[in-house]
Amino acid sequence: MGISIEGGCLCGACRYSSDAEPINIRACHCRRCQKATGAPFYARVMVPLDSVAMSGPIGWFDADTGVRRGFCTGCGTSLFSERQSANTVGLTMGSLDDPDRFAPSEHIWISCKQAWLVIDDGRPQYPEGPPA
């Protein structure tokens, strides 16, 4: 058993929790993540999908990319990026009850980052996905 990770949406109707250790913690700058979150990048904590308990009026959007996006149908908060084929789910760092517990270890897809954004945190940066 790992650590307790909990979070939820802005209106409080959706909640989630996991006791798994994070698989990885990344900031993704790809256009899909920018569009899905309405933000310049998507910071997320990835855990095993089968470790997460979810409740509330969660809606799902599947863009036929292998990743489903989960959100609160009440307030619209972006909560998840789920890849069932890999048994993984990304928990949006902004929806965590304690977002300061985690920091991204690397930045991916910086070839798509917004031009005004300067990344000088010393973490590795990859033009696309991380090296295999």
Side-chain angles (χ1 to χ4, degrees), residues 27-43 69 78 108-117 119 127:
C28 182
H29 299 263
C30 79
R31 286 297 294 150
R32 285 188 180 275
C33 285
Q34 290 175 24
K35 290 278 192 177
T37 62
F41 58 89
Y42 171 42
R69 308 279 180 163
S78 178
I108 59 175
W109 284 98
I110 63 158
S111 61
C112 300
K113 82 170 183 60
Q114 294 183 11
W116 58 264
L117 182 62
I119 305 170

Side-chain angles (χ1 to χ4, degrees), residues 51-127:
S51 76
V52 179
M54 303 173 188
S55 64
I58 298 169
W60 294 94
F61 176 75
D62 186 349
D64 295 326
T65 62
V67 176
R68 286 191 330 156
R69 308 279 180 163
F71 59 93
C72 173
T73 61
C75 66
T77 299
S78 178
L79 299 167
F80 312 110
S81 58
E82 174 194 86
R83 190 178 301 270
Q84 289 184 339
S85 64
N87 187 43
T88 59
V89 64
L91 310 173
T92 61
M93 289 180 70
S95 70
L96 296 172
D97 288 349
D98 185 5
D100 289 332
R101 287 180 56 200
F102 302 98
S105 61
E106 57 200 356
H107 296 268
I108 59 175
W109 284 98
I110 63 158
S111 61
C112 300
K113 82 170 183 60
Q114 294 183 11
W116 58 264
L117 182 62
V118 176
I119 305 170
D120 63 358
D121 60 10
R123 292 175 174 86
Q125 300 178 28
Y126 301 101

